[in-house]
Amino acid sequence: MRILLTNDDGIQAHGLRVLFKVFKEAGHEVHCVAPVTEQSAVGHAVTIAMPLRVKEFKENGFRGHGVYGTPVDCVKLALSALLPDKPDLVVSGINAGANVGVDLLYSGTVSAATEGAFMGFPALAVSYDDFNHAGLTDEHGRYVVDMAERLPLGDLPHKCVLNLNFPPRPMAECKELRICRHTSAMWEDWYDERKDPRGRPYYWLTGVIPPEKVSADTDRALLTAGHVTLTPLRFDFTDYELITSLGGSLG
């Protein structure tokens, strides 16, 4: 297969380099176009008021294009200008930190895959449920390659994104794959007020998804229990029931 590889952690991130390595080892053609700097939680941002510059990265068997822009910029630029041929699959990841529930709206990882799907290509977003990548190995990458090779790419619905998440444990200790829905539980956020070395205040966002609000059959609960999770996504925000009810009130 011809793979377009991207992420939101940056072109030098460990998770992206793992995927590049294992896809190449499996004999696939890999084109990497990823942000030069970390772009976590930028969502579906697109650069429209300044030029996009590209830097080539070549070291230790790795080759890719770093874009001074967002993950979505990377995919749009790759598919419109940089790639000599169209890919069979767009892969975004492996992200540091899970992408479950409402994270799907914030995530640059998922947004990059979504842009690939919007442009007509099968797309897979991949994340690891730990902000520390130390436990992420080639075995996790090979699991992604195996899944990509077995996906019925020609039969996936138009504009479909597959969202894969790994629990923070060795691949041999992961429980079986569960294909599931995403949680509807929301983050409960707060800002810690802290002081910099000069005594000036700054604020740091933190928060939790309350476990008691997470349904047992959803991605967050299954991932916490040690399962690999896969959630097929579609991005149609229309509330069809409300169309009917508002039609009766306002029509």
Side-chain angles (χ1 to χ4, degrees):
M1 288 187 294
R2 184 177 297 115
I3 305 294
L4 169 58
L5 178 61
T6 191
N7 72 350
D8 74 359
D9 289 329
I11 196 167
Q12 300 188 76
H14 175 59
L16 179 136
R17 296 302 179 96
V18 165
L19 285 184
F20 183 91
K21 175 186 175 184
V22 296
F23 269 110
K24 292 284 284 187
E25 288 176 346
H28 300 290
E29 180 183 336
V30 185
H31 297 270
C32 179
V33 183
V36 171
T37 60
E38 183 174 346
Q39 298 287 312
S40 296
V42 301
H44 213 95
V46 179
T47 300
I48 60 172
M50 59 187 299
L52 292 175
R53 302 194 184 275
V54 179
K55 176 182 178 180
E56 189 171 11
F57 284 73
K58 295 170 67 176
E59 72 263 357
N60 300 320
F62 174 83
R63 182 172 182 175
H65 290 90
V67 177
Y68 290 89
T70 70
V72 170
D73 288 334
C74 293
V75 173
K76 291 174 75 68
L77 188 63
L79 295 176
S80 301
L82 297 181
L83 264 61
D85 299 291
K86 301 304 183 185
D88 299 299
L89 178 66
V90 176
V91 180
S92 181
I94 298 174
N95 187 64
N99 277 304
V100 295
V102 73
D103 297 340
L104 304 177
L105 296 179
Y106 302 136
S107 169
T109 300
V110 175
S111 291
T114 302
E115 185 63 27
F118 286 172
M119 295 181 73
F121 300 91
L124 175 66
V126 188
S127 304
Y128 179 76
D129 192 16
D130 196 328
F131 291 110
N132 183 347
H133 258 167
L136 178 62
T137 68
D138 289 359
E139 292 304 309
H140 296 88
R142 293 188 184 103
Y143 187 99
V144 177
V145 172
D146 178 69
M147 174 174 286
E149 291 173 342
R150 294 188 293 120
L151 284 173
L153 297 180
D155 296 329
L156 292 176
H158 187 53
K159 298 183 180 179
C160 171
V161 178
L162 299 177
N163 186 42
L164 178 69
N165 281 276
F166 290 108
R169 56 179 66 184
M171 201 66 240
E173 297 178 12
C174 291
K175 297 180 182 178
E176 72 276 8
L177 175 71
R178 295 289 297 272
I179 302 175
C180 60
R181 63 189 178 98
H182 68 76
T183 181
S184 59
M186 301 292 290
W187 284 89
E188 293 187 0
D189 295 334
W190 63 89
Y191 285 88
D192 285 341
E193 182 177 350
R194 305 176 184 179
K195 301 289 185 181
D196 70 16
R198 296 183 178 180
R200 297 173 300 194
Y202 68 92
Y203 300 88
W204 198 280
L205 177 64
T206 186
V208 296
I209 299 178
E212 67 275 10
K213 295 185 179 180
V214 177
S215 299
D217 62 339
T218 60
D219 52 9
R220 179 65 273 170
L222 292 166
L223 195 58
T224 299
H227 290 276
V228 180
T229 66
L230 181 69
T231 303
L233 306 175
R234 62 180 180 183
F235 290 84
D236 179 352
F237 296 108
T238 306
D239 187 330
Y240 292 97
E241 293 181 3
L242 196 54
I243 285 178
T244 303
S245 106
L246 285 177
S249 302
L250 305 175

